[in-house]
Amino acid sequence: MNVKQRVEKLREQIRYHNYRYYVLDSPEIPDAEYDRLMRELQTLEAEHPELITPDSPTQRVGAQPLEGFGEVRHEVPMLSLDNAFSDEELAEFDRRVRERLEIDTVEYAAEPKLDGLAISLLYEDGVLVRGATRGDGTTGEDVTLNVRTIESIPLRLMGKDYPKRLEVRGEVVMPLKGFRELNKRQQAEGHKPFVNPRNAAAGSLRQLDPKVTAQRPLEMYCYGIGLVEKGELPDRHSAILARLRDWGLRVYKGVTTVRGLDGCIRYYNTMEKRRDSLPFDIDGVVFKVDSLDEQQRLGYVARAPRWAIARKFPAQEELTRVLDIDVQVGRTGALTPVARLEPVFVGGVTVTNATLHNEDEIRRKDVHIGDWVIVRRAGDVIPEVVSVVKDRRPKDAKPFVMPKKCPVCGSDIERVEGEAVARCTGGLYCEAQRKEAIKHFASRRAMDIEGLGDKLVEQLVDEKLVNDVADLYSLDVDTLAGLERMGRKSAENLIKALEDSKHTTLERFLFALGIREVGEVTARALARAFGTSDTKGMSDKKRVRTDIDRLAKATQEALEAIPDIGPVVAGHIVKFFKQKHNRDVISKLLDAGITWPPQEVAAAQPLQGKTYVLTGTLSSMTRNDAKARLQALGAKVAGSVSAKTSAVIAGEKAGSKLAKAEKLGVPVLSEDDLIKLLEQGEQGT
Ligand code: 9MJ
């Protein structure tokens, strides 16, 4: 084989592996092997520069920064989409389509509506020759050098039967994980973080220096075509997308076809539920009449096709005004500034408050009282103020000043050097902290006191009926029934729920105490370490006290010796038990009859200290079952591979995690190995 042939062979291999890795998410070879192919190609090209071609995989980044972007006139205009904001509007669209086509049921292609930047790619003889933004639909910007750096965009199409000239259209997006990492980097380097993934994608693609774009985590998903010359394409949109996939372009795997309005509504509902678990932001779904013949008969209006519609999700970002900024005191005394907002419908609910996180965040975002702000509510997360619309700031807008004293109890506020949060030092003297502590104590994963909701806790504290968590157990039906909005039946139920809650477990009890940074996992570790298992005829009452006494007397060193407990948490535990009022409350709780069973003798934990990563599909059990069984043997199960991973367990179709394991030299186990490992551990051998 001569050099030219070897170079071409290498390019073909690298293109194929790029496709496996970036488009299919399913690499065949480890990264190290890929790197070797790439290095060999680079070396040969350096020795024989006359062999370099623009579509060589080595040529993604190379050119000098641009002075400005050139213009691109779209030979076939890049249209936008009409929107439907309700099922009714969607039904209207479907009715219009059916009437014009004079058919009963329409077959639609259904796609997620990606929230990024629309891009057109031009391939000539299968080689990427131009990338352009949508611009105003007629004229866009030439971003060829930048799109070339995006690895999911092939520089050359696969296969042979593509048209001589083919324009592919799609959306360039920044996946959420990459967006968060990029923003962390931006902040660490003193740059302004991006407001959302779409802005980050647009900003990254419109960089004059392609080297910057190359470092940004961008991906392109294709959803259609524009210009086609000299070539045959299928007569259905869904089949064209399948063809794009064959040519090595990335098409989102959730793209499908549905029948009629019912099918559209089902797809919309499914995608809305999945929205928060997708790796990128979507702002709706798109329905397109699948038959190209029918598309043609429907035609266009102004700048949008009559054969497509975007069914938008409720907006996750909206504009509203900050009426005031209050400071809330949390269970651990943490002060959180909260913006009181003019009510606004966002993310499917009416929002009146949004968190501002802490003082530094308010400074960074420069939020004033009276400002117009963008509020975001995504999924079930707490709404937050994203940014301020500065040019709408009213003259009388007031900057926020963090109070010097706790707004609830008047105690001093402390802000530990290097920490973002300021805290009220009042502890349980502070009514706000007390209320939060009681709410936490009663919550489902703690003492699980049914019927003791947040509002009732606040009422009980305000009425001075309950001062600390132990007082809950002195309540009686008559007192409760005397409260506003409380019937006798509810009062009786609550007293019964309080009685029931007395039979708990040590780990729940320790979690319920609300010791700083003691979550359920730490509480379980403490219960394992301090719970009595050998009762030696001890009474239950004595045993329960013994458990607590042992924990209360534990030294910093003894606590740090427990797996998963570090110096900070150990410090919080010691400090908690040093305070007499905490010991008194616990004593009162035990007097009230709170009890738990003896600690079970911990099962052998032969995999203690090991960390596994599961990837691919297992055939004999689900990944969740495998995870639970590994954890029961003391192992940790992590989501990503690092040098500390003990082994990666690879099922069928294992992807990039397997490649990463091989790159880092982490051992890889098969499903059979896993079964052996579990069986040995479970039999205690
Ligand atoms: C997005 N943004 O995901 C279209 N889009 O089709 C999808 N956009 C589109 N299709 C014709 N999936 C014009 C725009």
Side-chain angles (χ1 to χ4, degrees):
M1 201 187 297
N2 64 26
V3 176
K4 187 156 186 273
Q5 284 168 330
R6 178 64 191 154
V7 162
E8 266 158 25
K9 176 90 193 155
L10 282 167
R11 286 178 187 160
E12 201 178 302
Q13 285 176 314
I14 293 169
R15 273 182 206 119
Y16 173 73
H17 292 301
N18 272 345
Y19 170 72
R20 299 282 320 188
Y21 191 93
Y22 293 108
V23 179
L24 299 185
D25 262 339
S26 163
E28 261 178 19
I29 53 167
D31 290 5
E33 176 61 20
Y34 176 88
D35 293 342
R36 275 190 288 277
L37 295 173
M38 195 65 160
R39 261 197 309 274
E40 186 184 344
L41 179 60
Q42 281 164 340
T43 310
L44 290 176
E45 287 183 348
E47 288 165 2
H48 304 276
E50 73 282 1
L51 294 180
I52 299 177
T53 56
D55 66 333
S56 170
T58 57
Q59 302 298 303
R60 283 195 181 268
V61 199
Q64 291 301 306
L66 294 173
E67 296 282 324
F69 296 110
E71 276 190 358
V72 170
R73 272 194 81 76
H74 299 296
E75 290 175 54
V76 179
M78 285 183 81
L79 301 166
S80 52
L81 293 166
D82 259 346
N83 292 320
F85 292 98
S86 64
D87 287 348
E88 288 70 37
E89 288 179 18
L90 185 64
E92 267 303 297
F93 163 78
D94 176 61
R95 187 186 55 73
R96 287 195 303 269
V97 169
R98 281 185 291 112
E99 282 177 5
R100 279 184 184 263
L101 295 175
E102 297 179 329
I103 55 174
D104 291 335
T105 314
V106 184
E107 180 103 0
Y108 293 103
E111 308 166 357
K113 186 169 184 303
L114 274 61
D115 203 6
L117 194 68
I119 288 291
S120 137
L121 304 173
L122 184 62
Y123 287 90
E124 286 179 358
D125 292 317
V127 176
L128 176 68
V129 295
R130 195 190 69 196
T133 62
R134 179 175 174 279
D136 63 4
T138 318
T139 312
E141 283 175 325
D142 186 332
V143 287
T144 309
L145 296 178
N146 291 343
V147 299
R148 288 173 61 88
T149 68
I150 300 174
E151 273 122 342
S152 48
I153 297 179
L155 298 180
R156 168 194 276 268
L157 298 179
M158 301 197 329
K160 287 219 160 40
D161 53 346
Y162 40 74
K164 189 161 175 55
R165 290 184 87 209
L166 172 70
E167 188 195 349
V168 180
R169 292 170 176 182
E171 203 85 355
V172 167
V173 297
M174 187 174 288
L176 296 164
K177 185 163 169 279
F179 168 71
R180 287 187 209 108
E181 288 164 4
L182 171 64
N183 262 357
K184 258 196 219 139
R185 264 201 327 267
Q186 289 280 109
Q187 266 170 303
E189 291 165 11
H191 300 302
K192 237 178 100 167
F194 291 100
V195 183
N196 57 38
R198 187 197 37 223
N199 287 17
S204 300
L205 209 56
R206 296 190 65 265
Q207 285 286 336
L208 289 170
D209 185 354
K211 290 201 183 65
V212 177
T213 313
Q215 286 161 9
R216 300 287 171 80
L218 297 172
E219 283 178 12
M220 175 153 176
Y221 290 87
C222 303
Y223 54 65
I225 51 168
L227 184 74
V228 182
E229 273 176 25
K230 296 213 184 115
E232 286 294 304
L233 282 177
D235 60 0
R236 300 192 82 79
H237 178 76
S238 52
I240 292 177
L241 295 185
R243 197 59 76 77
L244 294 181
R245 219 179 247 144
D246 294 340
W247 290 330
L249 290 149
R250 186 165 199 165
V251 176
Y252 178 62
K253 58 181 182 305
V255 167
T256 184
T257 52
V258 296
R259 278 178 64 75
L261 178 64
D262 290 349
C264 291
I265 292 177
R266 265 198 302 276
Y267 184 80
Y268 171 87
N269 289 333
T270 309
M271 289 308 281
E272 196 187 9
K273 276 198 212 87
R274 289 180 52 192
R275 179 182 196 181
D276 296 316
S277 59
L278 295 181
F280 41 73
D281 266 352
I282 65 174
D283 60 350
V285 292
V286 183
F287 299 110
K288 298 174 180 170
V289 172
D290 199 36
S291 151
L292 296 201
D293 172 59
E294 288 172 2
Q295 284 189 5
Q296 205 148 32
R297 278 159 54 204
L298 288 161
Y300 300 83
V301 274
R303 293 170 57 199
R306 276 208 196 91
W307 43 262
I309 191 124
R311 169 70 169 96
K312 298 288 277 282
F313 293 141
Q316 289 184 319
E317 289 187 359
E318 270 299 351
L319 203 60
T320 189
R321 276 190 64 200
V322 176
L323 303 177
D324 204 352
I325 298 178
D326 286 352
V327 175
Q328 262 176 11
V329 186
R331 176 163 64 80
T332 60
L335 301 181
T336 309
V338 176
R340 306 286 173 214
L341 306 169
E342 206 147 73
V344 61
F345 192 74
V346 54
V349 297
T350 300
V351 166
T352 50
N353 304 308
T355 180
L356 289 160
H357 300 291
N358 56 55
E359 205 178 350
D360 293 348
E361 279 286 296
I362 298 189
R363 294 275 165 280
R364 193 172 69 68
K365 291 176 180 159
D366 189 23
V367 184
H368 285 28
I369 297 163
D371 268 340
W372 283 90
V373 291
I374 294 172
V375 174
R376 182 177 173 84
R377 179 187 180 271
D380 290 328
V381 276
I382 304 167
E384 62 165 358
V385 170
V386 181
S387 59
V388 173
V389 186
K390 289 273 170 61
D391 48 9
R392 282 224 205 169
R393 173 167 290 165
K395 283 205 182 57
D396 59 352
K398 282 201 300 282
F400 167 77
V401 225
M402 196 74 174
K404 297 268 177 293
K405 301 271 180 195
C406 172
V408 177
C409 71
S411 299
D412 286 342
I413 285 171
E414 167 188 79
R415 186 168 163 188
V416 178
E417 183 84 21
E419 266 194 38
V421 262
R423 283 174 204 281
C424 158
T425 54
L428 291 181
Y429 168 74
C430 176
E431 194 170 288
Q433 291 188 52
R434 236 180 308 139
K435 283 178 179 169
E436 293 309 310
I438 298 168
K439 289 176 196 171
H440 170 77
F441 182 84
S443 65
R444 197 171 48 77
R445 280 148 54 200
M447 298 300 281
D448 193 18
I449 306 171
E450 219 185 298
L452 186 53
D454 290 359
K455 284 268 163 338
L456 183 54
V457 169
E458 284 174 22
Q459 211 177 347
L460 290 169
V461 175
D462 289 341
E463 305 269 339
K464 312 247 178 292
L465 292 171
V466 171
N467 218 2
D468 58 45
V469 292
D471 291 340
L472 291 170
Y473 294 98
S474 324
L475 290 168
D476 56 53
V477 174
D478 288 336
T479 314
L480 283 172
L483 285 171
E484 228 174 285
R485 295 190 303 276
M486 174 71 97
R488 192 151 193 98
K489 186 75 203 152
S490 312
E492 283 168 7
N493 286 344
L494 181 56
I495 293 298
K496 174 158 187 321
L498 279 161
E499 272 314 304
D500 290 348
S501 76
K502 289 181 184 173
H503 295 274
T504 184
T505 61
L506 176 55
E507 65 181 78
R508 269 178 181 268
F509 182 69
L510 294 177
F511 173 62
L513 292 176
I515 305 167
R516 243 177 97 185
E517 291 189 40
V518 175
E520 286 161 294
V521 175
T522 309
R524 189 173 315 142
L526 291 172
R528 281 219 185 98
F530 294 97
T532 310
S533 47
D534 183 3
T535 56
K536 292 198 200 99
M538 225 189 279
S539 71
D540 281 352
K541 234 176 147 156
K542 176 95 191 293
R543 174 179 50 78
V544 162
R545 291 223 175 245
T546 308
D547 289 355
I548 293 297
D549 286 345
R550 283 166 57 194
L551 173 58
K553 289 198 185 103
T555 60
Q556 174 88 18
E557 294 72 44
L559 290 164
E560 281 183 43
I562 297 169
D564 289 333
I565 295 188
V568 175
V569 180
H572 289 318
I573 298 168
V574 169
K575 199 167 156 193
F576 179 89
F577 284 102
K578 239 193 208 149
Q579 292 181 313
K580 182 167 181 304
H581 68 86
N582 287 334
R583 294 197 307 271
D584 289 347
V585 169
I586 294 175
S587 201
K588 270 206 295 180
L589 286 167
L590 299 186
D591 286 344
I594 286 186
T595 182
W596 49 83
Q599 195 62 23
E600 275 177 31
V601 182
Q605 298 233 306
L607 300 183
Q608 178 97 51
K610 299 256 195 255
T611 305
Y612 295 94
V613 171
L614 293 160
T615 181
T617 318
L618 301 173
S619 57
S620 61
M621 64 187 107
T622 65
R623 287 230 303 243
N624 269 340
D625 288 344
K627 183 173 171 182
R629 285 173 69 184
L630 285 166
Q631 285 173 335
L633 294 172
K636 277 194 188 163
V637 177
S640 61
V641 184
S642 76
K644 290 196 190 125
T645 309
S646 312
V648 166
I649 297 160
E652 279 289 304
K653 295 211 185 108
S656 56
K657 288 178 191 167
L658 175 56
K660 179 115 186 252
E662 286 168 346
K663 186 171 160 185
L664 295 174
V666 168
V668 176
L669 302 183
S670 66
E671 180 163 356
D672 283 344
D673 297 334
L674 168 69
I675 293 169
K676 269 188 223 131
L677 183 75
L678 290 173
E679 285 177 355
Q680 280 172 2
E682 287 159 4
Q683 286 158 11
T685 53

